[in-house]
């Protein structure tokens, strides 16, 4: 996993106000998977409650002006009923800005998406993350955003604008992003596998992937009619939301099934592969 050296509190000869320094420290801790009681306490000092819902956004500042972009994000956030600023953590990473925004207190994810599209450079990729809860979720949201920015370098096709975390699940999982790996295994592999050992959906998808999504070749291997294959692939889409006939999404399926089989075989631990 990449380290987040850029997110550390900056060492600068210029004076830094206490709140900015504290925010920088909290962001760096969350980016490095530190979300214990000490971090929760620091977040409380910044006005964050113990329980909250948040999401992450990331992008490139227009004209590479980080300070102006940060100010723009904060200015576009609605204030609380008492006029105080909305809760937001912003950190720098490799020329990008990553912002963590609360979405359970006057701001919703759609508004955050609009803020991202307004404040970031529209000619560069803009990332929108899912909603997460509390400090642990905040840490995962920030790391997902940073990992997505890294994973972009491995994409061979254009990403949607703005892109969402699921658009880069395979690349993030191969980088060692545990959230991406777990989502692929749970939402695709285990969902297709189901509770019925006689359910042919997972087998059909697997063979289809090996047959370059050819209905006829898959049908011959399974000794069934092509329409049966078509029905099973449609059912796979209904189960997990991914299309096994789409070129990009077959790669998502392939990565998920490989990771799932490694997990079932006991060749996976929480931080990577087992020694064999």
């Amino acid at each position: 996993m990449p380290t987040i050296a850029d997110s550390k509190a900056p060492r600068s000869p210029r004076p830094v106000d206490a709140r900015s320094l504290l925010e920088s420290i909290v962001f760096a801790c969350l980016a490095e998977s530190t979300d214990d009681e000490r971090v929760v306490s620091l977040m409380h000092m910044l006005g964050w409650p113990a329980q909250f819902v948040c999401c992450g956004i990331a992008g490139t500042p227009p004209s590479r002006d980080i300070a102006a972009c940060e100010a723009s994000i904060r200015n576009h956030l609605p204030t609380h009923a008492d006029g105080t600023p909305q809760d937001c953590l912003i950190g720098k990473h490799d020329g990008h800005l990553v912002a963590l925004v609360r979405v359970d207190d006057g701001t919703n994810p759609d508004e955050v998406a609009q803020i991202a599209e307004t404040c970031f450079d529209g000619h560069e990729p803009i990332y929108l993350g899912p909603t997460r809860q509390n400090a642990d979720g905040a840490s995962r949201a920030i790391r997902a955003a940073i990992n997505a920015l890294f994973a972009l370098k491995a994409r061979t096709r254009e990403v949607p604008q703005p892109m969402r975390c699921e658009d880069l699940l395979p690349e993030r999982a191969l980088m060692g992003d545990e959230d991406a790996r777990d989502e692929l295994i749970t939402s695709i592999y285990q969902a297709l596998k189901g509770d019925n050992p006689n359910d042919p959906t997972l087998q059909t998808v697997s063979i289809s992937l090996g047959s370059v999504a050819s209905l006829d070749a898959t049908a011959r291997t399974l000794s069934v009619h092509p329409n049966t294959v078509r029905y099973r692939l449609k059912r796979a889409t209904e189960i997990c939301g991914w299309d096994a006939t789409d070129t990009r999404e077959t790669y998502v399926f392939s990565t998920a099934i490989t990771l799932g089989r490694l997990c079932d075989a006991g060749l996976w631990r929480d931080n990577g592969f087992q020694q064999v």
Side-chain angles (χ1 to χ4, degrees), residues 48 52-58 87-89 98-104 107-113 127-133 137-138 140-142 145 164:
W48 290 69
F52 57 87
V53 180
C54 62
C55 69
I57 57 175
D87 298 322
C88 177
L89 289 175
V98 180
L100 183 78
V101 183
R102 276 188 66 189
V103 292
D104 60 347
T107 306
N108 61 55
D110 289 338
E111 290 176 320
V112 175
Y127 169 86
L128 304 177
T131 57
R132 294 286 185 255
Q133 295 183 3
R140 291 161 53 202
I142 289 174
R164 299 185 181 274

Side-chain angles (χ1 to χ4, degrees), residues 30-33 136 138-148 177 179:
L30 294 174
E32 296 288 1
S33 304
D136 171 68
S139 176
R140 291 161 53 202
I142 289 174
R143 285 183 283 116
I146 292 173
N147 288 337
D177 186 324
D179 282 346

Side-chain angles (χ1 to χ4, degrees), residues 16-31:
V16 180
D17 68 88
R19 183 179 179 84
S20 296
L21 180 60
L22 180 58
E23 183 174 318
S24 176
I25 293 171
V26 171
F27 185 93
C29 288
L30 294 174

